[in-house]
Amino acid sequence: CRAPPICSMAAEVVRVNSIRVGGMEVTDSVATIYDLPDAPPGIDGLLGLSFLGRFEVTLDAEKPQLLLTPVQK
């Protein structure tokens, strides 16, 4: 999408059994499938709130690392 601030894209929403990032896993979630033609090399996708919303997320800029701590229900 190249027309900010408002843009729309067609995308397919699918149910996934699990998504694993590092040692963290989310089960029974949803994912949105669309092409990222301008993504830099090594970028395979984006994590959204269906995954990140289940964790306390800490960005450590010095290392650099993304730390995920499961949120207690």
Side-chain angles (χ1 to χ4, degrees), residues 44-72:
D44 294 326
L46 302 172
L47 293 173
L49 283 178
S50 62
F51 182 87
L52 294 174
R54 300 184 190 195
F55 300 95
E56 177 181 312
V57 179
T58 304
L59 295 173
D60 185 336
E62 291 180 13
K63 292 195 178 177
Q65 287 183 343
L66 172 74
L67 304 170
L68 301 173
T69 305
V71 172
Q72 300 299 320

Side-chain angles (χ1 to χ4, degrees), residues 1-63:
C1 180
R2 300 198 187 280
I6 298 174
C7 235
S8 64
M9 299 170 66
E12 181 180 1
V13 177
V14 297
R15 181 149 301 278
V16 294
N17 292 330
S18 70
I19 301 169
R20 182 182 303 270
V21 175
M24 297 295 154
E25 181 179 28
V26 167
T27 59
D28 190 31
S29 189
V30 294
T32 304
I33 310 296
Y34 59 90
D35 191 25
L36 297 172
D38 297 328
I43 301 297
D44 294 326
L46 302 172
L47 293 173
L49 283 178
S50 62
F51 182 87
L52 294 174
R54 300 184 190 195
F55 300 95
E56 177 181 312
V57 179
T58 304
L59 295 173
D60 185 336
E62 291 180 13
K63 292 195 178 177

